[in-house]
Amino acid sequence: MESKTTAFLANLLQSCIDNKAYVSGKTLHAHILRIGRFVDTFLSNRLIELYYKCGHINTARHVFDKMPQKNIYSCNAMLAAYCKERKTEDAYQMFVEMPERNEVSWNTLISALVRNGCEHRALDVYYRMNREGFVPTRFTLTSVLSACGALVDVECGKGCHGVATKFGLDKNMYVGNALLSMYAKCGRIEDAIQAFGDLPEPNEVAFTAMIGGLLETDRVEEAYNMFRLMQRFGIQLDPVSLSSVLGVCTRGGAQSDGFACNMNGQQIHGLSIKLGFASDLHLSNSLLDLYAKNGDMDSAEAIFSKLPEPSVVSWNVMIGGYGQKYQTYKAMEYMNRMQNHGFKPDEVTYINMLAACVKSGDIETGRQLFDRMASPSLSSWNTILSGYSQNENHLEALRTFREMQFRNVHADRTTLAIVLSSCAAMGLLEDGKQVHAVSLKALFHTDVYVASGLIGMYSKCNKTEMAKCIFGSMSELDVVCWNSMIAGLALDSFDEEAFTFYKKMLGDGTYPTEFSYATILRSCSKLSSLPRGRQVHAQIIKDGYVDDIFVGTAVIDMYSRCGNVDGARQVFDIMPSKSTVTWNEMIHGYAQNGCGYESVCLYEDMIQSGEKPDDITFVAVLTSCSHSGLVDHGLRIFNSMQKYGSEPLLEHYTCIIDSLGRAGRFQEVEAVLDKMPYNDDPVVWEVLLSSCRVHANVSLAKRAAEELFLLDPQNSAPYVLLANMYSSLGRWDDAKEVRKMMVAKQIIKDPGYSWVEHKNELQASALDDNIKAVGGKS
């Protein structure tokens, strides 16, 4: 009779548990107490389960403490209660106090610790479980492998793999999925593929994990092929697996053919609608992310407008998408709409908005947003610092960095690299030293990213020895460090040493990048060392960079500056694609080497090719026309500038005045002078004065000299040029007057020097006064 009553009450309690009927359960509890059945451990265990599943963990504990007789099931029930409520400390204490434990006890605690981010502690409990002789189950290994993946502890994961194989659990679907997921998260993709192949019947979890693992290791095409394989296997698709493959399409659009990946994404979009997942919020957010990152904001707008209840993630994706397209006003519009709909901007919202402002150059609005943040994260600080640095507001970047320190926000490697870049740009050695001190204190000075910034900062502040000292102290060097050191030496005109470091980099087994080649080619140019330039060119061909526009342009510049303009043209002709900079370098190369006609012909080829000339193009071709006497060609090109959207600048006017002046066409010079907007620049008048001296145009020379006396009163050049001109014409009194003016105004002519190379050393000797009066420095 008693057993029937107990069974009846247990069934009623189980019904209350299943339906979470808290009030009915309490009534049953009172009845059990009244009839004296609380001593029944089985019923008391059901009461504990009832209370914790109804969210009343304190009541469950009260029942546990009042139980006259507890067994292992009572302890496991209370342990499960603490784990369900994420009270990991209470759960751990409960576990420690248990008089005995079984596999359920160990698995419950390990699983809860992993779910709550306590992976290290979970592994400690697992090791203790092994020491106490308990055999791991599939539940144990699944949780432990998840912890290994989260900690990127591949050695522990491999140990668990061995245990799974020993007990025949490696073929278990749950353990197998956990194994391949662990290997994928640890970057051991080949091991993950092996684990996937060992699964007798991979399910959607296995395929999704493989897709994610391949994506994380940038094997985008293989990830998409895995999705196709999943379909061929007839695996049922769900919103999670579709979201994973949308991540593949998104990553593919950022890395390769964005149009093709967008098309794949549209196919997945269609499939999700066909399968009835169109209303799934997580999948819809993945679709939003795909279209936003591929720049298709019209499609993103269409999806967003159909969301029944957008989440904060949905709003953030739209804000980030418009920010990526430099449409700050649209990003701001979405942020305002987000707040109007009752959503509070989170950290991601502000970072996306800050990034939008930085990309569009609207740093002022970005700062206003930043100031609205109650407690900006490190990412937010780095974003605003990057904005100031990119917009060349380096002083404000340094002020913000100091503010960051005052607010006790600890810098990371990104922070220090940005601030060092600003110090380098302004040549602020003392500020750079302070940042160096911060990096030492934070133990970031050996980080290759920060070390590269330090090398660059000291190099730009002419402290090459300090830069070399930092470089030499690095235990590991990457290509960025090598590039920074080579660029620093080149910047400080240590081009021989730069080339030595370049050879050391090759000897170290570090592969040069585009930046490496462009830097060392500039050093070859400054050394006028064609043999070295050819060596570098050969290495470029060997490494497969010959078709790179950036590198190819640097090669053209090197050959041109070393006087081998035909070699430069050969490189130019075989380049598969050319930028405006490439055309400019070749045109300028012809100008440097006195090939004016070829320069003009190449300019015309550029126009015919459809490439739009810029301001630098016109400077190069007009300079070439000036030096080669192609005056009419130069005038025609100068007059056509506005047709190509370029307004003539000072440099262009200087070139055309120089060209007309060299040809003695001074009436046209005066016409240009009368209409040009740069009459207050001394360079124009110096060029004109030199031409007047050659052609003995006294009246215009006098006008040019008088302008220079006003614009640059302490410059001795116009006085000397004018005096020498009078002397060559025999107008000694006028020459004497000019020299008297120099004495009266206390204008001193710098002594001239002649540089002579003797025994590998440069020696200077002063020129005599007569030569000095005519020539200046030689």
Side-chain angles (χ1 to χ4, degrees):
M1 183 68 181
E2 287 185 7
S3 61
K4 287 184 179 180
T5 304
T6 299
F8 177 70
L9 291 171
N11 287 335
L12 287 176
L13 280 171
Q14 189 60 52
S15 177
C16 293
I17 291 168
D18 294 339
N19 295 295
K20 295 185 179 180
Y22 173 64
V23 175
S24 299
K26 280 186 70 176
T27 304
L28 274 172
H29 187 183
H31 179 69
I32 289 167
L33 289 170
R34 189 168 59 253
I35 65 175
R37 292 300 176 91
F38 187 64
V39 293
D40 191 305
T41 304
F42 181 72
L43 289 177
S44 298
N45 289 346
R46 296 283 73 74
L47 283 169
I48 292 171
E49 187 179 357
L50 165 74
Y51 285 124
Y52 87 71
K53 285 194 173 178
C54 289
H56 294 271
I57 193 164
N58 291 333
T59 308
R61 181 65 197 231
H62 180 74
V63 171
F64 178 82
D65 290 339
K66 294 294 182 181
M67 286 177 68
Q69 293 182 344
K70 303 179 182 73
N71 60 15
I72 191 168
Y73 302 105
S74 313
C75 296
N76 281 344
M78 199 62 234
L79 178 65
Y82 283 130
C83 290
K84 181 178 181 293
E85 292 296 316
R86 297 181 176 272
K87 293 179 177 288
T88 51
E89 287 301 325
D90 291 327
Y92 190 79
Q93 191 60 38
M94 180 75 216
F95 179 83
V96 170
E97 293 171 358
M98 289 173 69
E100 61 174 316
R101 308 178 188 90
N102 59 11
E103 286 85 356
V104 174
S105 315
W106 293 98
N107 290 339
T108 301
L109 181 61
I110 291 170
S111 175
L113 289 169
V114 173
R115 284 199 311 271
N116 289 282
C118 304
E119 289 88 0
H120 284 292
R121 203 170 201 180
L123 293 184
D124 289 339
V125 174
Y126 168 68
Y127 295 139
R128 183 177 170 185
M129 176 184 180
N130 289 335
R131 288 195 300 271
E132 294 191 16
F134 285 89
V135 177
T137 67
R138 63 187 179 93
F139 300 108
T140 318
L141 292 174
T142 300
S143 296
V144 173
L145 286 166
S146 177
C148 294
L151 296 171
V152 196
D153 188 347
V154 72
E155 292 305 317
C156 178
K158 287 169 72 176
C160 288
H161 193 170
V163 171
T165 304
K166 178 181 177 182
F167 291 107
L169 293 171
D170 54 321
K171 306 297 183 187
N172 178 272
M173 180 176 65
Y174 299 103
V175 176
N177 288 345
L179 270 170
L180 73 90
S181 180
M182 179 275 296
Y183 282 126
K185 287 178 181 176
C186 292
R188 302 288 288 267
I189 195 64
E190 295 302 329
D191 290 324
I193 292 170
Q194 181 65 47
F196 179 82
D198 289 342
L199 289 172
E201 293 184 9
N203 61 3
E204 70 276 6
V205 177
F207 275 101
T208 303
M210 277 308 307
I211 291 168
L214 289 165
L215 181 60
E216 284 302 311
T217 51
D218 292 330
R219 296 165 72 157
V220 177
E221 189 174 346
E222 290 175 69
Y224 198 78
N225 289 338
M226 183 63 67
F227 173 68
R228 291 194 179 104
L229 182 65
M230 182 179 183
Q231 291 177 292
R232 285 200 293 273
F233 271 48
I235 303 296
Q236 185 175 0
L237 299 174
D238 60 10
V240 176
S241 56
L242 289 172
S243 294
S244 295
V245 79
L246 282 170
V248 175
C249 298
T250 303
R251 181 76 64 86
Q255 291 186 353
S256 53
D257 184 353
F259 178 75
C261 290
N262 204 23
M263 288 295 292
N264 289 335
Q266 288 172 346
Q267 291 171 7
I268 305 301
H269 188 181
L271 183 61
S272 68
I273 295 170
K274 181 181 177 181
L275 295 173
F277 298 137
S279 60
D280 184 87
L281 182 59
H282 178 67
L283 181 56
S284 295
N285 285 340
S286 296
L287 282 165
L288 279 178
D289 191 51
L290 165 79
Y291 288 123
K293 285 184 177 171
N294 281 331
D296 185 1
M297 293 308 296
D298 291 336
S299 297
E301 286 269 13
I303 293 170
F304 186 86
S305 63
K306 293 176 183 176
L307 288 177
E309 292 184 12
S311 65
V312 173
V313 173
S314 315
W315 290 102
N316 286 345
V317 169
M318 294 301 291
I319 292 167
Y322 278 116
Q324 184 177 294
K325 294 196 75 175
Y326 303 95
Q327 296 182 16
T328 313
Y329 68 97
K330 286 289 290 183
M332 185 65 76
E333 176 191 319
Y334 264 84
M335 184 173 172
N336 292 334
R337 283 174 57 189
M338 174 185 183
Q339 291 173 295
N340 291 336
H341 280 75
F343 290 91
K344 187 178 180 181
D346 62 8
E347 185 66 30
V348 176
T349 316
Y350 282 114
I351 289 175
N352 283 350
M353 271 307 310
L354 281 173
C357 294
V358 167
K359 283 182 179 179
S360 61
D362 187 5
I363 193 67
E364 185 177 341
T365 303
R367 182 65 201 219
Q368 290 171 4
L369 284 166
F370 181 81
D371 290 338
R372 283 165 57 183
M373 299 171 71
S375 181
S377 69
L378 182 56
S379 295
S380 302
W381 283 100
N382 287 345
T383 303
I384 197 70
L385 281 169
S386 177
Y388 284 128
S389 183
Q390 288 176 29
N391 285 275
E392 298 186 3
N393 193 346
H394 302 297
L395 280 176
E396 197 58 43
L398 292 173
R399 288 194 195 100
T400 304
F401 176 62
R402 290 193 185 98
E403 181 186 349
M404 181 179 174
Q405 291 179 292
F406 290 143
R407 290 170 67 169
N408 203 30
V409 179
H410 297 291
D412 67 357
R413 61 201 293 263
T414 304
T415 319
L416 297 171
I418 293 169
V419 178
L420 285 167
S421 174
S422 288
C423 292
M426 297 191 70
L428 299 174
L429 179 61
E430 292 306 314
D431 292 273
K433 284 181 176 179
Q434 291 175 22
V435 179
H436 190 178
V438 172
S439 72
L440 287 165
K441 185 178 179 182
L443 301 178
F444 279 117
H445 59 291
T446 56
D447 178 273
V448 290
Y449 195 46
V450 176
S452 297
L454 287 167
I455 292 166
M457 182 275 294
Y458 281 117
S459 297
K460 288 186 179 178
C461 293
N462 298 315
K463 296 293 180 181
T464 310
E465 289 304 316
M466 189 63 192
K468 286 161 66 176
C469 180
I470 292 168
F471 181 87
S473 68
M474 296 293 293
S475 56
E476 292 184 17
L477 294 165
D478 68 354
V479 70
V480 179
C481 283
W482 283 104
N483 284 348
S484 295
M485 194 65 246
I486 293 168
L489 290 165
L491 181 70
D492 292 335
S493 298
F494 294 106
D495 297 296
E496 284 281 0
E497 200 167 355
F499 197 83
T500 301
F501 267 81
Y502 164 74
K503 290 194 291 185
K504 285 181 180 178
M505 179 174 76
L506 295 178
D508 188 56
T510 303
Y511 290 100
T513 63
E514 298 93 326
F515 182 82
S516 316
Y517 285 125
T519 303
I520 202 62
L521 284 167
R522 277 196 296 272
S523 287
C524 294
S525 300
K526 287 193 285 182
L527 291 167
S528 298
S529 179
L530 187 57
R532 289 176 181 172
R534 283 177 171 155
Q535 287 177 29
V536 177
H537 188 190
Q539 187 69 38
I540 287 167
I541 295 169
K542 181 182 176 183
D543 288 350
Y545 284 105
V546 68
D547 291 338
D548 183 272
I549 292 179
F550 185 63
V551 175
T553 303
V555 173
I556 291 168
D557 179 60
M558 180 276 296
Y559 278 119
S560 298
R561 289 177 185 270
C562 291
N564 187 356
V565 72
D566 292 333
R569 184 58 191 259
Q570 286 175 9
V571 175
F572 178 85
D573 287 339
I574 63 173
M575 286 181 68
S577 58
K578 304 174 181 70
S579 66
T580 303
V581 178
T582 312
W583 287 94
N584 290 350
E585 286 295 351
M586 194 63 244
I587 292 169
H588 185 244
Y590 277 130
Q592 284 177 306
N593 289 276
C595 304
Y597 181 74
E598 289 84 352
S599 179
V600 172
C601 289
L602 188 61
Y603 164 77
E604 291 171 351
D605 289 344
M606 179 182 182
I607 300 299
Q608 289 296 319
S609 74
E611 191 74 45
K612 186 180 177 182
D614 61 10
D615 294 338
I616 296 170
T617 315
F618 288 114
V619 170
V621 72
L622 289 173
T623 300
S624 186
C625 291
S626 174
H627 291 176
S628 301
L630 302 173
V631 185
D632 291 327
H633 285 85
L635 280 171
R636 176 175 55 80
I637 293 168
F638 178 79
N639 291 328
S640 71
M641 286 181 64
Q642 290 179 323
K643 176 182 173 182
Y644 299 105
S646 289
E647 286 292 331
L649 302 174
L650 170 65
E651 293 85 355
H652 306 116
Y653 279 109
T654 303
C655 288
I656 205 67
I657 287 170
D658 184 47
S659 182
L660 290 168
R662 286 170 183 258
R665 294 163 63 166
F666 291 110
Q667 283 188 333
E668 291 169 87
V669 169
E670 291 189 85
V672 173
L673 285 171
D674 290 339
K675 71 175 184 180
M676 68 177 284
Y678 301 102
N679 287 323
D680 57 348
D681 193 283
V683 175
V684 175
W685 297 106
E686 285 181 10
V687 168
L688 178 59
L689 182 55
S690 295
S691 297
C692 290
R693 177 175 174 269
V694 171
H695 291 280
N697 188 329
V698 177
S699 60
L700 195 53
K702 190 174 180 182
R703 177 187 170 187
E706 287 172 351
E707 291 285 350
L708 285 168
F709 296 161
L710 292 172
L711 294 171
D712 193 3
Q714 294 304 307
N715 184 3
S716 62
Y719 293 95
V720 174
L721 283 171
L722 188 60
N724 288 346
M725 181 180 174
Y726 284 136
S727 299
S728 64
L729 295 173
R731 295 174 58 168
W732 307 109
D733 290 340
D734 291 329
K736 190 175 180 181
E737 285 299 320
V738 173
R739 293 189 180 277
K740 283 182 179 178
M741 286 172 59
M742 288 183 70
V743 173
K745 294 181 180 180
Q746 297 183 333
I747 294 169
I748 301 170
K749 169 70 174 69
D750 292 332
Y753 291 92
S754 177
W755 295 98
V756 180
E757 188 173 355
H758 178 65
K759 293 183 179 180
N760 295 323
E761 292 184 1
L762 288 173
Q763 297 181 359
S765 59
L767 302 176
D768 62 51
D769 289 339
N770 291 330
I771 299 175
K772 185 169 43 175
V774 176
K777 288 185 180 180
S778 63

